[in-house]
Amino acid sequence: MKYKIKHSTTYKYADFVSLCQNQARLTPKTNHKQICHSSYIEITPSTSYLREYTDYFDNKVTVFEIAKQHKKLTVTMVSEVELLVKQGSNLSSFDMPWKDARDLLAEPKTRDLLKVYEFVLPSQLTPLEKGIQDYVLESFTPEMNLIEGCTSLMARIFHDFHYDPGFTTISTPLSIVFAQKRGVCQDFAHFALACVRSIGLAGRYVSGYIETLPPEGEVKLEGADATHAWFAIYVPNYGWVDFDPTNNVLPTEQHITLAVGRDFSDVTPLKGVVFGGGSQVLDVAVDMLRLE
């Protein structure tokens, strides 16, 4: 399956911006599940500085500066990505009791496990809140396997939490999300990560895209696709396995990975500083076009 992805972000400012400096994590990853065959970025107004680098989590970052007055900024990334074999096709032979995975990570004896261990630790957006460990242990019973436990946790978040795009912002504490059982995909991913980390497992945040299909007989609207977020669990001797609690599915042919990190703060698609501008209005549009 191949996709052409167009991700366009527009900021409109009430007053002139004299200078802006930004980081964009908008280039899809190439890994064992997908290949980013091409990508290019279009920025208006034109940049005075633009460079690319790879960050600590192996995400490609585009850094740019605009040193001219402007009241509107548009950043558009166009990429072509090919999805490879579905995850989990040979996963069953690598599954293990979750406590065995926890014990391996508790005393990492290889360089690979040591690097994974940082994903066991709480982060600013995934703190260990009161009651979280009790919640996750309902899925991770003593004899439960790692993948079975994550599948159970994913399903419970899907059924227990209500998708409410107007309830939270990125600064809403996880304690509020947990108490009210409401939020969006970012919140559900953060909650799942706080859960698995509370019992010594390694989880990482995944940002990306999910294809949305129109109702039967209707034409797909331009810009109707969406940025998305989910979580991944580390399975020793296998690697990372993705889980989407917003949709209660293991991401397969409709999920494109953009970036990974400890939480959203590591993978923010576009962030930076501006001088001037006053109030602003943000608009984001995403299109995923199947090429075959």
Side-chain angles (χ1 to χ4, degrees):
M1 186 74 69
K2 290 184 179 180
Y3 287 96
K4 181 177 181 180
I5 304 163
K6 181 180 179 182
H7 181 162
S8 185
T9 304
T10 300
Y11 285 95
K12 294 181 180 179
Y13 303 100
D15 201 354
F16 282 105
V17 171
S18 59
L19 173 69
C20 73
Q21 297 173 329
N22 296 273
Q23 291 183 358
R25 286 170 172 80
L26 293 169
T27 304
K29 295 183 76 67
T30 290
N31 54 30
H32 67 284
K33 293 180 293 187
Q34 66 182 44
I35 299 174
C36 181
H37 288 290
S38 66
S39 65
Y40 65 90
I41 193 167
E42 297 176 342
I43 302 171
T44 305
S46 59
T47 61
S48 54
Y49 175 89
L50 188 148
R51 293 290 187 276
E52 289 185 348
Y53 74 93
T54 300
D55 71 10
Y56 176 77
F57 298 105
D58 202 33
N59 305 309
K60 184 174 286 188
V61 186
T62 304
V63 181
F64 65 91
E65 176 180 281
I66 299 174
K68 65 177 70 173
Q69 285 196 337
H70 58 279
K71 296 183 73 173
K72 180 179 178 181
L73 168 65
T74 300
V75 180
T76 300
M77 180 70 81
V78 179
S79 308
E80 288 193 8
V81 180
E82 179 181 5
L83 292 178
L84 305 175
V85 296
K86 294 182 180 180
Q87 71 163 359
S89 57
N90 62 340
L91 181 57
S92 58
S93 60
F94 292 93
D95 201 3
M96 63 172 62
W98 74 268
K99 287 188 174 182
D100 290 355
R102 176 201 62 188
D103 293 345
L104 280 173
L105 290 167
E107 298 182 4
K109 297 179 179 179
T110 67
R111 178 178 294 182
D112 288 343
L113 284 179
L114 188 61
K115 187 170 179 62
V116 169
Y117 181 74
E118 64 187 324
F119 293 99
V120 178
L121 305 175
S123 69
Q124 182 178 359
L125 298 178
T126 63
L128 178 55
E129 299 289 350
K130 183 178 180 181
I132 280 183
Q133 192 174 82
D134 292 336
Y135 184 93
V136 69
L137 286 175
E138 292 183 31
S139 291
F140 287 83
T141 55
E143 303 305 319
M144 182 70 76
N145 271 16
L146 180 58
I147 299 302
E148 292 173 336
C150 285
T151 302
S152 170
L153 175 65
M154 175 179 69
R156 288 176 55 227
I157 294 173
F158 175 77
H159 291 293
D160 292 350
F161 288 67
H162 177 65
Y163 186 86
D164 186 350
F167 181 72
T168 60
T169 68
I170 191 59
S171 61
T172 302
L174 192 62
S175 58
I176 300 298
V177 175
F178 185 27
Q180 300 297 320
K181 303 292 192 296
R182 307 177 79 84
V184 293
C185 57
Q186 292 175 348
D187 303 308
F188 304 157
H190 283 148
F191 178 73
L193 289 173
C195 283
V196 297
R197 290 170 179 170
S198 76
I199 57 173
L201 299 175
R204 71 181 183 185
Y205 186 96
V206 186
S207 72
Y209 306 106
I210 183 170
E211 180 190 30
T212 56
L213 299 177
E216 187 174 354
E218 295 187 18
V219 177
K220 185 175 181 178
L221 298 176
E222 184 175 350
D225 294 302
T227 55
H228 194 41
W230 56 96
F231 76 101
I233 196 79
Y234 182 76
V235 179
N237 302 315
Y238 179 83
W240 294 96
V241 179
D242 293 356
F243 296 85
D244 181 355
T246 304
N247 296 290
N248 194 26
V249 297
L250 270 67
T252 53
E253 69 270 8
Q254 290 179 281
H255 290 69
I256 300 289
T257 299
L258 188 56
V260 299
R262 294 162 298 181
D263 57 32
F264 176 78
S265 63
D266 289 329
V267 301
T268 309
L270 185 63
K271 64 181 179 180
V273 294
V274 298
F275 293 84
S279 61
Q280 62 187 32
V281 176
L282 170 65
D283 179 67
V284 179
V286 177
D287 288 295
M288 289 179 62
L289 174 66
R290 292 194 184 200
L291 299 179
E292 61 178 53

